[in-house]
Amino acid sequence: MENRRVRVRFAPSPTGPLHMGGVRTALYNYLFAKKHGGDFLLRIEDTDQNRFVPGAEQYIIESLKWCNIFPDEGVGFAEGDCGPYRQSERKPMYREYAEKLILSGNAYYAFDTTEDLEEMRTRLSAAGVSSPQYNAITRQSMKNSLTFSEDEVNKRLQEGQAYVIRMKIPRNEEIKLLDIIRGWVVVHSSQMDDKVLFKSDGMPTYHLANVVDDYLMSITHVIRGEEWLPSAPLHVLLYRYLGWEEKMPQFAHLPLLLKPDGNGKLSKRDGDRLGFPVFPIEWYDQASEETYSGYREKGFFPQAFVNMLSLLGWNPGTTQEIFSMQELIDAFSLERVNKSGAKFDFEKTKWFNQQYLRMESNESLAEKLKPIILENGIAPKDEFIAKVCGLMKERATFVKDIWNEGQYFFTAPKEYDREVRIKKWKPDTSVLLIEWKNILMVLADFSPLSIEQAFKDFLEVKKVGMGAVLLPFRLTVTGAGAGPSMFDISALLGREEVVARIEKAVEVIELQ
Ligand code: GLU
């Protein structure tokens, strides 16, 4: 086992958009594979045709790409040696294993109709059984190849009667598995039911297909959500009965993602209802005609989203919070994944975005901001946009904030913040500002430092405090009550523009 090349997989079912918990599962698999120089596979588990949702597979692929989580093999990525990677295309491979289990006495044909099953449940409920199951006891009174004679079974099969193949769970056995995150997990077989392995439509169920594929794809570690822990003992039995125990992967069941208040699992339905997306990218639900928001469209950097997800359930054992993908790969270990659920924190997610925004170069931010500016019918020079980004990036969480809060860099204000006007515009403000403007008109050097010095000198000569002029100055040039240094803003806008703005604002405000 130890010498095998590490191979892990992310195996989503295309039943809808990928929840961020799913992205975290993919991420942990990816980090683990890369850390150990192994392979990360994407397998699409689409055996349940009833739950198939068009577009979901493409959505999964696009989400992984957006997050920079690139599988080495799998649907939508490179074709490896173990394809096809879509279970519906592997359909003919599964039957032989179901039949092998029947031959070895570990599975059986069951011919019960929906009514038969319903009748069994009603009967058991009436007798006080709280959760009636098809199991080691009840199977004895049902229509299956364990209760029928061989002739009867053959006759039914020849007639083409509908059947399923069920796992024959042993009656009295403890099934143990060593989970990397949870330690020993022990389940008594009396708690388990005879799960269907093969359906009447000729398709395997999740359990059979999942185990067969993990084996055929030489998977060494199964890293998946906690909701699959109850299925793990069944999978252990399947490995045993198929004679693959030597090659059984190690299991690691990841903790749940919880709602921000810690009350329960963060579900697909929570998303927009709680004021934040639960999906990596936007999803349009054809059935309900609803659009669910995504982190990408909200303006998050994929690196920030991934960094945030990495720490939801895993801790590096240090106080480091900002990790590049390579740093995550180097630091990641399953041993440092917590057992208990991880609370999602949207404010923290925004904090991550802010940190990543600050780390971007002005030029690269400008590239991202440019389309927003162009959309608004303005076409400034790239160099100018980059300078604006430099001044605004400390105050922004998203690229679009730079536009929203800094429109005045690109177009003169049309309105002047009412509150600042009421609070700061005194009877002598206009005169002071006009005098200040006159100084600006003749200032030899229009650099931030020189404007600042001139401003200080002006205050001294006029014997007024900073407060009397600085905010009104800001109001006239930007229309706003807060922003980056007025000396930086002025130098960037240039003398002509600043002078014109002051003149116009004084006129407009005095008239109001
Ligand atoms: N198809 C399962 C899912 O949708 C895969 C679970 C597993 O990883 O075994 O999550």
Side-chain angles (χ1 to χ4, degrees), residues 376-410:
N376 284 278
I378 308 166
K381 289 216 171 69
D382 291 355
E383 204 188 319
F384 180 80
I385 308 178
K387 284 188 179 149
V388 172
C389 290
L391 288 185
M392 290 296 288
K393 69 183 184 189
E394 290 295 317
R395 333 185 125 252
T397 301
F398 302 104
V399 171
K400 60 176 184 271
D401 294 346
I402 303 180
W403 166 255
N404 291 340
E405 320 265 311
Q407 272 184 44
Y408 53 79
F409 281 106
F410 307 102

PDB file of all heavy atoms in Angstrom, residues 376-410:
ATOM      1  N   ASN A 376     -18.955  51.998 -18.824  1.00  0.00           N
ATOM      2  CA  ASN A 376     -19.561  53.271 -18.457  1.00  0.00           C
ATOM      3  C   ASN A 376     -19.214  54.389 -19.434  1.00  0.00           C
ATOM      4  O   ASN A 376     -19.412  55.569 -19.145  1.00  0.00           O
ATOM      5  CB  ASN A 376     -19.133  53.659 -17.042  1.00  0.00           C
ATOM      6  CG  ASN A 376     -19.882  52.839 -16.013  1.00  0.00           C
ATOM      7  OD1 ASN A 376     -21.011  53.148 -15.671  1.00  0.00           O
ATOM      8  ND2 ASN A 376     -19.273  51.756 -15.561  1.00  0.00           N
ATOM      9  N   GLY A 377     -18.698  53.980 -20.572  1.00  0.00           N
ATOM     10  CA  GLY A 377     -18.479  54.942 -21.649  1.00  0.00           C
ATOM     11  C   GLY A 377     -17.268  55.842 -21.467  1.00  0.00           C
ATOM     12  O   GLY A 377     -17.200  56.907 -22.064  1.00  0.00           O
ATOM     13  N   ILE A 378     -16.333  55.425 -20.645  1.00  0.00           N
ATOM     14  CA  ILE A 378     -15.135  56.237 -20.443  1.00  0.00           C
ATOM     15  C   ILE A 378     -13.928  55.401 -20.882  1.00  0.00           C
ATOM     16  O   ILE A 378     -13.907  54.191 -20.647  1.00  0.00           O
ATOM     17  CB  ILE A 378     -14.974  56.620 -18.954  1.00  0.00           C
ATOM     18  CG1 ILE A 378     -16.273  57.250 -18.463  1.00  0.00           C
ATOM     19  CG2 ILE A 378     -13.794  57.573 -18.751  1.00  0.00           C
ATOM     20  CD1 ILE A 378     -16.366  57.349 -16.969  1.00  0.00           C
ATOM     21  N   ALA A 379     -12.946  56.052 -21.508  1.00  0.00           N
ATOM     22  CA  ALA A 379     -11.793  55.276 -21.979  1.00  0.00           C
ATOM     23  C   ALA A 379     -10.468  55.915 -21.579  1.00  0.00           C
ATOM     24  O   ALA A 379      -9.750  56.463 -22.408  1.00  0.00           O
ATOM     25  CB  ALA A 379     -11.875  55.099 -23.493  1.00  0.00           C
ATOM     26  N   PRO A 380     -10.122  55.862 -20.315  1.00  0.00           N
ATOM     27  CA  PRO A 380      -8.855  56.475 -19.886  1.00  0.00           C
ATOM     28  C   PRO A 380      -7.650  55.612 -20.288  1.00  0.00           C
ATOM     29  O   PRO A 380      -7.814  54.450 -20.666  1.00  0.00           O
ATOM     30  CB  PRO A 380      -8.982  56.517 -18.367  1.00  0.00           C
ATOM     31  CG  PRO A 380     -10.096  55.598 -18.010  1.00  0.00           C
ATOM     32  CD  PRO A 380     -10.804  55.163 -19.229  1.00  0.00           C
ATOM     33  N   LYS A 381      -6.478  56.170 -20.149  1.00  0.00           N
ATOM     34  CA  LYS A 381      -5.253  55.427 -20.481  1.00  0.00           C
ATOM     35  C   LYS A 381      -4.989  54.369 -19.407  1.00  0.00           C
ATOM     36  O   LYS A 381      -5.274  54.593 -18.228  1.00  0.00           O
ATOM     37  CB  LYS A 381      -4.064  56.397 -20.498  1.00  0.00           C
ATOM     38  CG  LYS A 381      -4.060  57.350 -21.663  1.00  0.00           C
ATOM     39  CD  LYS A 381      -2.583  57.571 -22.107  1.00  0.00           C
ATOM     40  CE  LYS A 381      -2.494  58.339 -23.385  1.00  0.00           C
ATOM     41  NZ  LYS A 381      -2.910  59.757 -23.215  1.00  0.00           N
ATOM     42  N   ASP A 382      -4.382  53.260 -19.843  1.00  0.00           N
ATOM     43  CA  ASP A 382      -4.084  52.164 -18.907  1.00  0.00           C
ATOM     44  C   ASP A 382      -3.237  52.653 -17.729  1.00  0.00           C
ATOM     45  O   ASP A 382      -3.436  52.250 -16.582  1.00  0.00           O
ATOM     46  CB  ASP A 382      -3.319  51.043 -19.622  1.00  0.00           C
ATOM     47  CG  ASP A 382      -4.207  50.326 -20.622  1.00  0.00           C
ATOM     48  OD1 ASP A 382      -5.419  50.652 -20.657  1.00  0.00           O
ATOM     49  OD2 ASP A 382      -3.699  49.471 -21.364  1.00  0.00           O
ATOM     50  N   GLU A 383      -2.306  53.508 -18.056  1.00  0.00           N
ATOM     51  CA  GLU A 383      -1.385  53.992 -17.028  1.00  0.00           C
ATOM     52  C   GLU A 383      -2.142  54.759 -15.941  1.00  0.00           C
ATOM     53  O   GLU A 383      -1.855  54.639 -14.745  1.00  0.00           O
ATOM     54  CB  GLU A 383      -0.381  54.920 -17.717  1.00  0.00           C
ATOM     55  CG  GLU A 383       0.929  55.064 -17.023  1.00  0.00           C
ATOM     56  CD  GLU A 383       1.737  56.155 -17.709  1.00  0.00           C
ATOM     57  OE1 GLU A 383       1.719  56.202 -18.966  1.00  0.00           O
ATOM     58  OE2 GLU A 383       2.333  56.965 -17.003  1.00  0.00           O
ATOM     59  N   PHE A 384      -3.113  55.553 -16.387  1.00  0.00           N
ATOM     60  CA  PHE A 384      -3.920  56.334 -15.455  1.00  0.00           C
ATOM     61  C   PHE A 384      -4.757  55.399 -14.571  1.00  0.00           C
ATOM     62  O   PHE A 384      -4.805  55.543 -13.342  1.00  0.00           O
ATOM     63  CB  PHE A 384      -4.831  57.297 -16.240  1.00  0.00           C
ATOM     64  CG  PHE A 384      -5.698  58.140 -15.353  1.00  0.00           C
ATOM     65  CD1 PHE A 384      -5.175  59.271 -14.731  1.00  0.00           C
ATOM     66  CD2 PHE A 384      -7.032  57.813 -15.121  1.00  0.00           C
ATOM     67  CE1 PHE A 384      -5.972  60.062 -13.893  1.00  0.00           C
ATOM     68  CE2 PHE A 384      -7.837  58.586 -14.292  1.00  0.00           C
ATOM     69  CZ  PHE A 384      -7.298  59.715 -13.674  1.00  0.00           C
ATOM     70  N   ILE A 385      -5.373  54.378 -15.188  1.00  0.00           N
ATOM     71  CA  ILE A 385      -6.198  53.426 -14.413  1.00  0.00           C
ATOM     72  C   ILE A 385      -5.323  52.751 -13.357  1.00  0.00           C
ATOM     73  O   ILE A 385      -5.728  52.579 -12.206  1.00  0.00           O
ATOM     74  CB  ILE A 385      -6.847  52.348 -15.320  1.00  0.00           C
ATOM     75  CG1 ILE A 385      -7.598  53.002 -16.474  1.00  0.00           C
ATOM     76  CG2 ILE A 385      -7.771  51.454 -14.520  1.00  0.00           C
ATOM     77  CD1 ILE A 385      -8.230  52.022 -17.453  1.00  0.00           C
ATOM     78  N   ALA A 386      -4.107  52.377 -13.761  1.00  0.00           N
ATOM     79  CA  ALA A 386      -3.212  51.695 -12.820  1.00  0.00           C
ATOM     80  C   ALA A 386      -2.899  52.599 -11.630  1.00  0.00           C
ATOM     81  O   ALA A 386      -2.853  52.136 -10.478  1.00  0.00           O
ATOM     82  CB  ALA A 386      -1.929  51.281 -13.529  1.00  0.00           C
ATOM     83  N   LYS A 387      -2.731  53.869 -11.884  1.00  0.00           N
ATOM     84  CA  LYS A 387      -2.436  54.798 -10.784  1.00  0.00           C
ATOM     85  C   LYS A 387      -3.633  54.916  -9.850  1.00  0.00           C
ATOM     86  O   LYS A 387      -3.478  54.970  -8.627  1.00  0.00           O
ATOM     87  CB  LYS A 387      -2.039  56.160 -11.337  1.00  0.00           C
ATOM     88  CG  LYS A 387      -0.626  56.148 -11.879  1.00  0.00           C
ATOM     89  CD  LYS A 387      -0.152  57.526 -12.241  1.00  0.00           C
ATOM     90  CE  LYS A 387       1.287  57.452 -12.745  1.00  0.00           C
ATOM     91  NZ  LYS A 387       1.568  58.477 -13.735  1.00  0.00           N
ATOM     92  N   VAL A 388      -4.829  54.956 -10.433  1.00  0.00           N
ATOM     93  CA  VAL A 388      -6.046  55.001  -9.602  1.00  0.00           C
ATOM     94  C   VAL A 388      -6.093  53.749  -8.725  1.00  0.00           C
ATOM     95  O   VAL A 388      -6.356  53.821  -7.519  1.00  0.00           O
ATOM     96  CB  VAL A 388      -7.312  55.096 -10.485  1.00  0.00           C
ATOM     97  CG1 VAL A 388      -8.572  54.946  -9.634  1.00  0.00           C
ATOM     98  CG2 VAL A 388      -7.331  56.405 -11.259  1.00  0.00           C
ATOM     99  N   CYS A 389      -5.804  52.607  -9.335  1.00  0.00           N
ATOM    100  CA  CYS A 389      -5.830  51.347  -8.574  1.00  0.00           C
ATOM    101  C   CYS A 389      -4.846  51.427  -7.414  1.00  0.00           C
ATOM    102  O   CYS A 389      -5.139  50.978  -6.305  1.00  0.00           O
ATOM    103  CB  CYS A 389      -5.503  50.167  -9.478  1.00  0.00           C
ATOM    104  SG  CYS A 389      -6.817  49.835 -10.662  1.00  0.00           S
ATOM    105  N   GLY A 390      -3.694  51.989  -7.677  1.00  0.00           N
ATOM    106  CA  GLY A 390      -2.679  52.133  -6.632  1.00  0.00           C
ATOM    107  C   GLY A 390      -3.205  52.948  -5.469  1.00  0.00           C
ATOM    108  O   GLY A 390      -2.970  52.612  -4.295  1.00  0.00           O
ATOM    109  N   LEU A 391      -3.946  53.997  -5.774  1.00  0.00           N
ATOM    110  CA  LEU A 391      -4.459  54.859  -4.692  1.00  0.00           C
ATOM    111  C   LEU A 391      -5.639  54.222  -3.972  1.00  0.00           C
ATOM    112  O   LEU A 391      -5.860  54.462  -2.794  1.00  0.00           O
ATOM    113  CB  LEU A 391      -4.901  56.213  -5.269  1.00  0.00           C
ATOM    114  CG  LEU A 391      -3.796  57.168  -5.723  1.00  0.00           C
ATOM    115  CD1 LEU A 391      -4.392  58.501  -6.138  1.00  0.00           C
ATOM    116  CD2 LEU A 391      -2.791  57.400  -4.596  1.00  0.00           C
ATOM    117  N   MET A 392      -6.412  53.411  -4.705  1.00  0.00           N
ATOM    118  CA  MET A 392      -7.676  52.907  -4.135  1.00  0.00           C
ATOM    119  C   MET A 392      -7.584  51.518  -3.531  1.00  0.00           C
ATOM    120  O   MET A 392      -8.489  51.087  -2.822  1.00  0.00           O
ATOM    121  CB  MET A 392      -8.757  52.899  -5.221  1.00  0.00           C
ATOM    122  CG  MET A 392      -9.228  54.274  -5.661  1.00  0.00           C
ATOM    123  SD  MET A 392     -10.044  55.189  -4.323  1.00  0.00           S
ATOM    124  CE  MET A 392     -11.592  54.306  -4.189  1.00  0.00           C
ATOM    125  N   LYS A 393      -6.512  50.803  -3.809  1.00  0.00           N
ATOM    126  CA  LYS A 393      -6.581  49.375  -3.458  1.00  0.00           C
ATOM    127  C   LYS A 393      -6.623  49.090  -1.958  1.00  0.00           C
ATOM    128  O   LYS A 393      -7.164  48.072  -1.552  1.00  0.00           O
ATOM    129  CB  LYS A 393      -5.527  48.553  -4.186  1.00  0.00           C
ATOM    130  CG  LYS A 393      -4.115  48.748  -3.811  1.00  0.00           C
ATOM    131  CD  LYS A 393      -3.308  47.861  -4.756  1.00  0.00           C
ATOM    132  CE  LYS A 393      -1.861  47.861  -4.464  1.00  0.00           C
ATOM    133  NZ  LYS A 393      -1.097  47.183  -5.501  1.00  0.00           N
ATOM    134  N   GLU A 394      -6.126  49.984  -1.159  1.00  0.00           N
ATOM    135  CA  GLU A 394      -6.177  49.767   0.291  1.00  0.00           C
ATOM    136  C   GLU A 394      -7.606  49.881   0.821  1.00  0.00           C
ATOM    137  O   GLU A 394      -7.914  49.471   1.931  1.00  0.00           O
ATOM    138  CB  GLU A 394      -5.320  50.802   1.010  1.00  0.00           C
ATOM    139  CG  GLU A 394      -3.836  50.633   0.807  1.00  0.00           C
ATOM    140  CD  GLU A 394      -3.288  49.354   1.404  1.00  0.00           C
ATOM    141  OE1 GLU A 394      -3.684  49.003   2.541  1.00  0.00           O
ATOM    142  OE2 GLU A 394      -2.472  48.688   0.739  1.00  0.00           O
ATOM    143  N   ARG A 395      -8.487  50.511   0.024  1.00  0.00           N
ATOM    144  CA  ARG A 395      -9.834  50.773   0.517  1.00  0.00           C
ATOM    145  C   ARG A 395     -10.875  49.871  -0.144  1.00  0.00           C
ATOM    146  O   ARG A 395     -12.066  50.052   0.088  1.00  0.00           O
ATOM    147  CB  ARG A 395     -10.252  52.221   0.230  1.00  0.00           C
ATOM    148  CG  ARG A 395      -9.130  53.152   0.142  1.00  0.00           C
ATOM    149  CD  ARG A 395      -9.596  54.580  -0.029  1.00  0.00           C
ATOM    150  NE  ARG A 395      -9.003  55.366   1.021  1.00  0.00           N
ATOM    151  CZ  ARG A 395      -9.655  55.858   2.048  1.00  0.00           C
ATOM    152  NH1 ARG A 395     -10.943  55.702   2.148  1.00  0.00           N
ATOM    153  NH2 ARG A 395      -9.021  56.526   2.975  1.00  0.00           N
ATOM    154  N   ALA A 396     -10.437  48.952  -1.001  1.00  0.00           N
ATOM    155  CA  ALA A 396     -11.400  48.154  -1.756  1.00  0.00           C
ATOM    156  C   ALA A 396     -11.370  46.688  -1.331  1.00  0.00           C
ATOM    157  O   ALA A 396     -10.331  46.163  -0.928  1.00  0.00           O
ATOM    158  CB  ALA A 396     -11.087  48.264  -3.239  1.00  0.00           C
ATOM    159  N   THR A 397     -12.534  46.046  -1.420  1.00  0.00           N
ATOM    160  CA  THR A 397     -12.603  44.603  -1.205  1.00  0.00           C
ATOM    161  C   THR A 397     -12.679  43.903  -2.557  1.00  0.00           C
ATOM    162  O   THR A 397     -12.127  42.826  -2.752  1.00  0.00           O
ATOM    163  CB  THR A 397     -13.856  44.253  -0.375  1.00  0.00           C
ATOM    164  OG1 THR A 397     -13.763  44.955   0.864  1.00  0.00           O
ATOM    165  CG2 THR A 397     -13.964  42.771  -0.096  1.00  0.00           C
ATOM    166  N   PHE A 398     -13.388  44.547  -3.484  1.00  0.00           N
ATOM    167  CA  PHE A 398     -13.546  43.999  -4.832  1.00  0.00           C
ATOM    168  C   PHE A 398     -13.044  45.017  -5.855  1.00  0.00           C
ATOM    169  O   PHE A 398     -13.067  46.220  -5.582  1.00  0.00           O
ATOM    170  CB  PHE A 398     -15.022  43.705  -5.122  1.00  0.00           C
ATOM    171  CG  PHE A 398     -15.631  42.752  -4.145  1.00  0.00           C
ATOM    172  CD1 PHE A 398     -16.475  43.203  -3.141  1.00  0.00           C
ATOM    173  CD2 PHE A 398     -15.352  41.396  -4.226  1.00  0.00           C
ATOM    174  CE1 PHE A 398     -17.025  42.323  -2.234  1.00  0.00           C
ATOM    175  CE2 PHE A 398     -15.902  40.508  -3.324  1.00  0.00           C
ATOM    176  CZ  PHE A 398     -16.744  40.970  -2.317  1.00  0.00           C
ATOM    177  N   VAL A 399     -12.672  44.525  -7.011  1.00  0.00           N
ATOM    178  CA  VAL A 399     -12.224  45.433  -8.070  1.00  0.00           C
ATOM    179  C   VAL A 399     -13.312  46.469  -8.360  1.00  0.00           C
ATOM    180  O   VAL A 399     -13.038  47.655  -8.542  1.00  0.00           O
ATOM    181  CB  VAL A 399     -11.854  44.628  -9.342  1.00  0.00           C
ATOM    182  CG1 VAL A 399     -11.599  45.557 -10.510  1.00  0.00           C
ATOM    183  CG2 VAL A 399     -10.627  43.771  -9.072  1.00  0.00           C
ATOM    184  N   LYS A 400     -14.563  46.006  -8.353  1.00  0.00           N
ATOM    185  CA  LYS A 400     -15.639  46.940  -8.709  1.00  0.00           C
ATOM    186  C   LYS A 400     -15.788  48.075  -7.685  1.00  0.00           C
ATOM    187  O   LYS A 400     -16.292  49.142  -8.010  1.00  0.00           O
ATOM    188  CB  LYS A 400     -16.967  46.210  -8.905  1.00  0.00           C
ATOM    189  CG  LYS A 400     -17.466  45.448  -7.699  1.00  0.00           C
ATOM    190  CD  LYS A 400     -18.836  44.848  -7.996  1.00  0.00           C
ATOM    191  CE  LYS A 400     -19.425  44.166  -6.788  1.00  0.00           C
ATOM    192  NZ  LYS A 400     -19.095  42.776  -6.619  1.00  0.00           N
ATOM    193  N   ASP A 401     -15.297  47.852  -6.453  1.00  0.00           N
ATOM    194  CA  ASP A 401     -15.331  48.935  -5.454  1.00  0.00           C
ATOM    195  C   ASP A 401     -14.501  50.126  -5.923  1.00  0.00           C
ATOM    196  O   ASP A 401     -14.800  51.267  -5.595  1.00  0.00           O
ATOM    197  CB  ASP A 401     -14.744  48.482  -4.105  1.00  0.00           C
ATOM    198  CG  ASP A 401     -15.588  47.410  -3.448  1.00  0.00           C
ATOM    199  OD1 ASP A 401     -16.737  47.219  -3.889  1.00  0.00           O
ATOM    200  OD2 ASP A 401     -15.095  46.775  -2.501  1.00  0.00           O
ATOM    201  N   ILE A 402     -13.425  49.831  -6.650  1.00  0.00           N
ATOM    202  CA  ILE A 402     -12.548  50.914  -7.097  1.00  0.00           C
ATOM    203  C   ILE A 402     -13.341  51.844  -8.022  1.00  0.00           C
ATOM    204  O   ILE A 402     -13.213  53.056  -7.949  1.00  0.00           O
ATOM    205  CB  ILE A 402     -11.287  50.361  -7.807  1.00  0.00           C
ATOM    206  CG1 ILE A 402     -10.541  49.411  -6.859  1.00  0.00           C
ATOM    207  CG2 ILE A 402     -10.394  51.490  -8.311  1.00  0.00           C
ATOM    208  CD1 ILE A 402      -9.284  48.794  -7.420  1.00  0.00           C
ATOM    209  N   TRP A 403     -14.188  51.256  -8.837  1.00  0.00           N
ATOM    210  CA  TRP A 403     -15.046  52.079  -9.691  1.00  0.00           C
ATOM    211  C   TRP A 403     -16.138  52.759  -8.844  1.00  0.00           C
ATOM    212  O   TRP A 403     -16.321  53.976  -8.912  1.00  0.00           O
ATOM    213  CB  TRP A 403     -15.671  51.234 -10.809  1.00  0.00           C
ATOM    214  CG  TRP A 403     -16.806  51.934 -11.500  1.00  0.00           C
ATOM    215  CD1 TRP A 403     -18.138  51.690 -11.364  1.00  0.00           C
ATOM    216  CD2 TRP A 403     -16.714  53.034 -12.416  1.00  0.00           C
ATOM    217  NE1 TRP A 403     -18.873  52.554 -12.131  1.00  0.00           N
ATOM    218  CE2 TRP A 403     -18.027  53.402 -12.789  1.00  0.00           C
ATOM    219  CE3 TRP A 403     -15.640  53.766 -12.949  1.00  0.00           C
ATOM    220  CZ2 TRP A 403     -18.305  54.440 -13.665  1.00  0.00           C
ATOM    221  CZ3 TRP A 403     -15.928  54.803 -13.830  1.00  0.00           C
ATOM    222  CH2 TRP A 403     -17.240  55.139 -14.179  1.00  0.00           C
ATOM    223  N   ASN A 404     -16.824  51.961  -8.031  1.00  0.00           N
ATOM    224  CA  ASN A 404     -17.944  52.517  -7.269  1.00  0.00           C
ATOM    225  C   ASN A 404     -17.521  53.656  -6.352  1.00  0.00           C
ATOM    226  O   ASN A 404     -18.210  54.649  -6.225  1.00  0.00           O
ATOM    227  CB  ASN A 404     -18.630  51.428  -6.435  1.00  0.00           C
ATOM    228  CG  ASN A 404     -19.360  50.440  -7.327  1.00  0.00           C
ATOM    229  OD1 ASN A 404     -19.663  50.759  -8.476  1.00  0.00           O
ATOM    230  ND2 ASN A 404     -19.613  49.235  -6.823  1.00  0.00           N
ATOM    231  N   GLU A 405     -16.373  53.469  -5.705  1.00  0.00           N
ATOM    232  CA  GLU A 405     -15.948  54.481  -4.733  1.00  0.00           C
ATOM    233  C   GLU A 405     -15.027  55.526  -5.353  1.00  0.00           C
ATOM    234  O   GLU A 405     -14.705  56.510  -4.705  1.00  0.00           O
ATOM    235  CB  GLU A 405     -15.162  53.826  -3.584  1.00  0.00           C
ATOM    236  CG  GLU A 405     -15.715  52.510  -3.106  1.00  0.00           C
ATOM    237  CD  GLU A 405     -16.624  52.685  -1.928  1.00  0.00           C
ATOM    238  OE1 GLU A 405     -16.205  53.376  -1.002  1.00  0.00           O
ATOM    239  OE2 GLU A 405     -17.755  52.150  -1.974  1.00  0.00           O
ATOM    240  N   GLY A 406     -14.578  55.254  -6.579  1.00  0.00           N
ATOM    241  CA  GLY A 406     -13.583  56.160  -7.142  1.00  0.00           C
ATOM    242  C   GLY A 406     -13.943  56.671  -8.529  1.00  0.00           C
ATOM    243  O   GLY A 406     -13.064  57.022  -9.311  1.00  0.00           O
ATOM    244  N   GLN A 407     -15.244  56.757  -8.784  1.00  0.00           N
ATOM    245  CA  GLN A 407     -15.684  57.245 -10.110  1.00  0.00           C
ATOM    246  C   GLN A 407     -15.153  58.630 -10.418  1.00  0.00           C
ATOM    247  O   GLN A 407     -14.928  58.993 -11.565  1.00  0.00           O
ATOM    248  CB  GLN A 407     -17.202  57.304 -10.140  1.00  0.00           C
ATOM    249  CG  GLN A 407     -17.831  56.014 -10.572  1.00  0.00           C
ATOM    250  CD  GLN A 407     -19.344  56.151 -10.691  1.00  0.00           C
ATOM    251  OE1 GLN A 407     -19.835  57.117 -11.229  1.00  0.00           O
ATOM    252  NE2 GLN A 407     -20.049  55.173 -10.172  1.00  0.00           N
ATOM    253  N   TYR A 408     -14.948  59.419  -9.359  1.00  0.00           N
ATOM    254  CA  TYR A 408     -14.508  60.797  -9.549  1.00  0.00           C
ATOM    255  C   TYR A 408     -13.133  60.906 -10.202  1.00  0.00           C
ATOM    256  O   TYR A 408     -12.743  61.944 -10.675  1.00  0.00           O
ATOM    257  CB  TYR A 408     -14.524  61.553  -8.215  1.00  0.00           C
ATOM    258  CG  TYR A 408     -13.766  60.872  -7.103  1.00  0.00           C
ATOM    259  CD1 TYR A 408     -12.371  60.952  -7.038  1.00  0.00           C
ATOM    260  CD2 TYR A 408     -14.433  60.145  -6.119  1.00  0.00           C
ATOM    261  CE1 TYR A 408     -11.674  60.325  -6.020  1.00  0.00           C
ATOM    262  CE2 TYR A 408     -13.747  59.515  -5.099  1.00  0.00           C
ATOM    263  CZ  TYR A 408     -12.370  59.606  -5.047  1.00  0.00           C
ATOM    264  OH  TYR A 408     -11.679  58.983  -4.052  1.00  0.00           O
ATOM    265  N   PHE A 409     -12.392  59.798 -10.214  1.00  0.00           N
ATOM    266  CA  PHE A 409     -11.104  59.826 -10.903  1.00  0.00           C
ATOM    267  C   PHE A 409     -11.329  59.934 -12.416  1.00  0.00           C
ATOM    268  O   PHE A 409     -10.488  60.408 -13.147  1.00  0.00           O
ATOM    269  CB  PHE A 409     -10.298  58.549 -10.619  1.00  0.00           C
ATOM    270  CG  PHE A 409      -9.617  58.567  -9.289  1.00  0.00           C
ATOM    271  CD1 PHE A 409     -10.103  57.802  -8.239  1.00  0.00           C
ATOM    272  CD2 PHE A 409      -8.484  59.343  -9.089  1.00  0.00           C
ATOM    273  CE1 PHE A 409      -9.471  57.804  -7.014  1.00  0.00           C
ATOM    274  CE2 PHE A 409      -7.845  59.348  -7.859  1.00  0.00           C
ATOM    275  CZ  PHE A 409      -8.342  58.584  -6.812  1.00  0.00           C
ATOM    276  N   PHE A 410     -12.465  59.415 -12.835  1.00  0.00           N
ATOM    277  CA  PHE A 410     -12.703  59.308 -14.274  1.00  0.00           C
ATOM    278  C   PHE A 410     -13.697  60.336 -14.801  1.00  0.00           C
ATOM    279  O   PHE A 410     -13.727  60.620 -15.981  1.00  0.00           O
ATOM    280  CB  PHE A 410     -13.189  57.894 -14.603  1.00  0.00           C
ATOM    281  CG  PHE A 410     -12.269  56.837 -14.061  1.00  0.00           C
ATOM    282  CD1 PHE A 410     -12.585  56.137 -12.891  1.00  0.00           C
ATOM    283  CD2 PHE A 410     -11.075  56.579 -14.702  1.00  0.00           C
ATOM    284  CE1 PHE A 410     -11.715  55.187 -12.384  1.00  0.00           C
ATOM    285  CE2 PHE A 410     -10.204  55.620 -14.200  1.00  0.00           C
ATOM    286  CZ  PHE A 410     -10.514  54.929 -13.031  1.00  0.00           C
TER     287      PHE A 410
END
